[in-house]
Amino acid sequence: MGVHEINFALNLSYNNGEYLQDSCNTSACWDAIYLQYVFNGILLPILAVVGILGNALTMVVLWRREMHSSTIILMRGLVVTDTGIIIVACVAMTPYTLAFYHPELRYFKNVIYPNIYMPCTFLVMSIQQCNVWITVATSVERYVSICHPFKASKWISKKKTKISLAIITIVSIIYNIPRCLAFKTKTPCVEGQSSGDCFVLMTTKFGGSNFYHFYQLYLYTFLIYVIPLCSLLVLNLLIINELMRMRRRRAGLNIQEDNEANLSLVLVLIVVVFLLCQTPGLLAQFDTLFDPTVMIKYLAVSNFLFVTNSSVNFLIYTAVGRKFRKNLMKFFSRVFRGSSFSEISRSSQSRRGTVGGYELNNTTYTAVSEETQIENLEKMRLKD
């Protein structure tokens, strides 16, 4: 099989040739493997720990009772698939890459990896497909909510969103079943070895067929890259244009519109990161354009960006999402009750002002009595 078999490719043959990493005999090839070692063996585990921690905090916030809109349901799907990608990619790629420089991991490389390659590939490809199309569904939902707000109540509901998630999941699983039939393992790797000491991945007759080549290259390229990336680009350009129009008339926005605009901005930024991290994977589909050693280096970077995309959304939520940040602070204040987080929360509440007989906060206007207004004015005069 070709080296382009998604971002998950590691020790794969190049244009049906011999396995590159197992036959390295030049300094250029070993330089490429060392770069793979740095990205997959050192940087990837660090990124995975940070990503899983951030995604765990994201789950805590998104599963709070007050977070219950159709967009939140889609965001839950995103964080679950993101976490799945991080775990599967790290478990499969890191030990395998480390084995080239750490002999104690040779058993993983020679025995475990060939046997988990097919199930792990099926998992990561199914999860990736879910992740991509949930991102598209989120952009469609935001486009309708922002650009066609009067039709949103008719076209969007939590029930329809859950049905969409179920359809995306089922189709992704069914679509990737052929990948389980494309390879098999053989032992021993070479004549004279004991059976079970080493396994090698082999392409089955189905895996070498023209149908599978069309399926795993052209269909994959269009369904995972071309169609989603083009759709996301168009939808988010329209959303950005509408957000800019809303910003110009910001004085006329009500609280609900302002919250919708903020949520849309968060998701637009998520899509921007998605496009930046996923686009390099598109070029990896065309392996014949590159020298084999260059492709190993390129895959090391592409794989890392692939996992990076699943690890950084928490930073976007925290930096830009007002409601997310508020609920995250509530969570920390409960966990560290009586600590500095509680003091920060109480301090922010005490600084809320009153305008026109209403107490202001992020989401609601609470009526304030006339006596309270007079008291507040008196306090302000005394401070002056």
Side-chain angles (χ1 to χ4, degrees):
M1 70 176 284
V3 73
H4 55 258
E5 177 76 15
I6 168 157
N7 304 289
F8 198 57
L10 285 172
N11 191 27
L12 303 181
S13 60
Y14 186 79
N15 288 333
N16 294 319
E18 60 185 353
Y19 287 95
L20 293 174
Q21 290 95 324
D22 291 340
S23 58
C24 262
N25 52 18
T26 65
S27 60
C29 183
W30 279 108
D31 287 344
I33 290 178
Y34 182 74
L35 184 67
Q36 194 179 72
Y37 170 81
V38 171
F39 275 95
N40 293 343
I42 300 173
L43 298 179
L44 183 59
I46 298 172
L47 179 66
V49 171
V50 174
I52 291 173
L53 178 60
N55 287 348
L57 290 172
T58 302
M59 290 179 189
V60 169
V61 174
L62 294 183
W63 263 268
R64 290 177 66 91
R65 284 181 297 178
E66 54 265 47
M67 307 287 277
H68 53 71
S69 68
S70 57
T71 307
I72 297 300
I73 293 173
L74 290 170
M75 291 167 69
R76 291 173 182 174
L78 279 179
V79 72
V80 169
T81 52
D82 281 338
T83 305
I85 287 171
I86 295 171
I87 292 173
V88 177
C90 191
V91 166
M93 291 195 292
T94 297
Y96 174 85
T97 306
L98 291 174
F100 285 96
Y101 292 89
H102 299 276
E104 61 272 17
L105 292 174
R106 289 285 179 178
Y107 183 80
F108 181 92
K109 176 178 177 291
N110 295 331
V111 178
I112 298 176
Y113 178 77
N115 286 288
I116 69 170
Y117 175 79
M118 283 184 291
C120 282
T121 299
F122 170 76
L123 277 175
V124 79
M125 298 293 277
S126 299
I127 295 171
Q128 185 200 27
Q129 187 168 332
C130 284
N131 185 271
V132 167
W133 284 101
I134 290 173
T135 304
V136 174
T138 305
S139 290
V140 171
E141 193 273 346
R142 283 293 87 200
Y143 168 75
V144 173
S145 297
I146 294 297
C147 300
H148 302 282
F150 297 109
K151 297 179 181 179
S153 59
K154 179 181 178 182
W155 292 355
I156 299 173
S157 68
K158 287 189 283 187
K159 181 179 179 180
K160 291 179 181 178
T161 300
K162 290 176 181 179
I163 292 173
S164 299
L165 280 176
I167 292 173
I168 290 172
T169 303
I170 293 170
V171 170
S172 297
I173 292 172
I174 294 174
Y175 174 80
N176 285 285
I177 288 176
R179 298 184 186 279
C180 299
L181 308 175
F183 305 98
K184 62 182 179 180
T185 56
K186 185 188 79 169
T187 186
C189 296
V190 294
E191 295 295 333
Q193 277 187 326
S194 300
S195 179
D197 287 348
C198 179
F199 289 81
V200 63
L201 274 171
M202 297 184 64
T203 302
T204 63
K205 184 177 180 180
F206 173 73
S209 65
N210 290 332
F211 169 79
Y212 187 77
H213 177 73
F214 175 80
Y215 160 83
Q216 64 94 30
L217 177 57
Y218 297 106
L219 276 182
Y220 173 75
T221 300
F222 276 91
L223 287 177
I224 302 300
Y225 290 105
V226 177
I227 297 175
L229 295 183
C230 290
S231 300
L232 289 171
L233 186 61
V234 172
L235 286 168
N236 283 274
L237 285 175
L238 294 172
I239 293 171
I240 291 171
N241 181 61
E242 184 61 26
L243 288 175
M244 291 174 67
R245 289 179 65 249
M246 292 174 68
R247 186 180 181 85
R248 286 194 292 269
R249 57 183 178 84
R250 190 176 185 85
L253 292 181
N254 57 40
I255 294 296
Q256 179 64 29
E257 288 177 328
D258 193 45
N259 287 337
E260 288 290 325
N262 181 254
L263 181 57
S264 296
L265 178 60
V266 170
L267 294 171
V268 166
L269 291 175
I270 287 174
V271 169
V272 170
V273 173
F274 178 88
L275 292 171
L276 292 175
C277 293
Q278 294 283 1
T279 302
L282 175 60
L283 297 179
Q285 309 309 304
F286 306 99
D287 56 331
T288 55
L289 301 177
F290 302 94
D291 177 80
T293 55
V294 173
M295 179 54 71
I296 292 178
K297 294 179 180 179
Y298 187 84
L299 279 174
V301 178
S302 177
N303 288 341
F304 188 76
L305 289 175
F306 176 59
V307 179
T308 298
N309 177 63
S310 297
S311 305
V312 299
N313 286 345
F314 171 76
L315 301 178
I316 299 174
Y317 292 140
T318 306
V320 184
R322 291 195 301 265
K323 188 173 182 180
F324 181 91
R325 191 165 55 243
K326 178 183 175 182
N327 280 281
L328 184 64
M329 291 299 292
K330 284 183 179 179
F331 167 72
F332 279 127
S333 66
R334 288 185 179 180
V335 173
F336 303 102
R337 191 172 299 279
S339 67
S340 58
F341 282 103
S342 297
E343 294 298 324
I344 292 172
S345 179
R346 286 194 293 269
S347 176
S348 64
Q349 291 176 9
S350 66
R351 287 197 298 267
R352 290 184 304 197
T354 59
V355 176
Y358 288 88
E359 184 180 33
L360 299 178
N361 55 41
N362 285 337
T363 56
T364 61
Y365 289 120
T366 305
V368 178
S369 66
E370 185 176 351
E371 291 78 10
T372 304
Q373 293 182 61
I374 294 171
E375 289 178 9
N376 289 337
L377 289 172
E378 288 295 327
K379 288 177 183 178
M380 291 173 66
R381 290 195 189 99
L382 289 172
K383 288 180 181 178
D384 292 338

